[in-house]
């Protein structure tokens, strides 16, 4: 029984948030084909983080709060092409 408890504690202690091991930010490169598409990046709260044109590299926050990962929406648009959101 003691081995099971010790193994459970060790497993819990060794798991953790990625930001603890990899830092609070992540560099993200955004490209498009064709280049020059307008890009709008918003976070999970709906706040615009960046507006620009491709290609571009951004530094985005990994977390949205205590042990909560952040999610981003990237909207592409260019004249003559259908808009795309990822």
């Amino acid at each position: 029984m003691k081995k099971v408890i010790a193994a459970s504690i060790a497993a819990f202690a060794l798991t953790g948030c990625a930001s603890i091991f990899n830092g609070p930010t992540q560099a993200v490169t955004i490209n498009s084909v064709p280049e020059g598409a307008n890009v709008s990046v918003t976070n999970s709260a709906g706040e615009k983080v960046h507006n620009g044109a491709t290609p571009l590299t951004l530094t985005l926050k990994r977390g949205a709060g205590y042990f909560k990962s952040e999610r981003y929406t990237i909207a592409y648009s260019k004249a003559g092409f259908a808009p795309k959101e990822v």
Side-chain angles (χ1 to χ4, degrees):
M1 182 68 174
K2 288 183 181 181
K3 289 182 180 181
V4 172
I5 293 172
S8 298
I9 291 171
F12 181 74
L14 295 175
T15 60
C17 180
S19 63
I20 293 172
F21 298 106
N22 296 318
T25 59
Q26 172 78 38
V28 177
T29 301
I30 301 173
N31 293 309
S32 67
V33 176
E35 290 183 349
N38 296 319
V39 175
S40 175
V41 181
T42 56
N43 63 14
S44 59
E47 301 166 342
K48 286 201 178 196
V49 177
H50 186 81
N51 283 323
T54 60
L56 61 97
T57 301
L58 302 173
T59 301
L60 300 174
K61 292 182 182 179
R62 290 178 185 263
Y66 189 68
F67 287 107
K68 184 177 178 187
S69 61
E70 182 63 278
R71 297 181 61 97
Y72 294 93
T73 302
I74 303 169
Y76 293 90
S77 64
K78 185 166 182 162
F81 294 90
K84 181 74 176 175
E85 205 171 87
V86 291

